Amino acid sequence: MSSSKAPVTVRRARTSDVPWIQTLVEPLVQRRILLGKDAVVFYEAVQEFRVAVDENGALVGCGALHVFWEDLGEVRTLAVHDDWLGRGVGRALLEKIEEDARELGLSRLFCLTFEVPFFERNGYTASPLALVEPEVYAELVRSPDEGVAEFLDLARVKPNTLGNTRMLKRLV
């Protein structure tokens, strides 16, 4: 195993992982780094999540891929347990999410993040708001999803978005 690879395995999340995911992200929600979600929302989106597990099967990180439109997806809820920060877990999760995005036919991934250096190291660049055409925007504004509202920069999510950076990566 090379030193650049995290000693983790990334797998599809299971419903039994949801309480752990909530526990991991709650401090980040309290610090307004991630959007808060009710348990039901995590369960509804469990198929979007990947989790990283260590050699003993313990969960150490999570991340999700949310499809926005035919070519556009979002990296959501990318979080790593404090004990595993800086050990390649985030990168391993992001690589799997990007692989999933390619399999679905997406050509662009974006994220709204405070972790700009991490995403820059992984090929993302700061991007303007206009990632979608006006007619697609008109469709997306109908979504009840809070993450979509955050993406569209709607006023009702402003307290959660102050200071974060919209970043984009074109997948090859």
Side-chain angles (χ1 to χ4, degrees), residues 161-172:
T161 60
L162 291 177
N164 68 9
T165 301
R166 179 182 313 274
M167 302 192 77
L168 179 72
K169 181 175 183 176
R170 296 199 180 278
L171 303 174
V172 288

Side-chain angles (χ1 to χ4, degrees), residues 72-73 107-113 116 119-120 123-133 150-153 161 163-170:
L72 181 65
S107 59
R108 300 180 298 159
L109 273 182
F110 81 93
C111 62
L112 297 168
T113 186
V116 173
F119 281 96
E120 284 178 337
Y124 289 73
T125 55
S127 179
L129 177 60
L131 292 177
V132 295
E133 299 299 320
E150 188 179 27
F151 167 75
L152 296 176
D153 208 27
T161 60
N164 68 9
T165 301
R166 179 182 313 274
M167 302 192 77
L168 179 72
K169 181 175 183 176
R170 296 199 180 278

Side-chain angles (χ1 to χ4, degrees), residues 47-67:
Q47 71 279 359
E48 296 182 357
F49 275 85
R50 295 290 183 162
V51 293
V53 296
D54 70 11
E55 57 276 359
N56 300 313
L59 296 167
V60 298
C62 68
L65 169 63
H66 184 77
V67 175

Side-chain angles (χ1 to χ4, degrees), residues 83-101:
D83 294 345
W84 285 82
L85 290 173
R87 295 172 63 186
V89 176
R91 179 181 298 263
L93 284 159
L94 189 58
E95 286 173 357
K96 185 60 179 165
I97 289 167
E98 290 175 0
E99 179 184 314
D100 292 345

Side-chain angles (χ1 to χ4, degrees), residues 1-23:
M1 186 179 310
S2 78
S3 60
S4 66
K5 285 281 188 186
V8 298
T9 303
V10 177
R11 65 163 171 79
R12 186 168 301 284
R14 302 176 184 131
T15 56
S16 60
D17 299 328
V18 168
W20 183 88
I21 292 170
Q22 276 195 288
T23 300

Side-chain angles (χ1 to χ4, degrees), residues 29 41 146:
V29 171
V41 176
E146 286 299 301

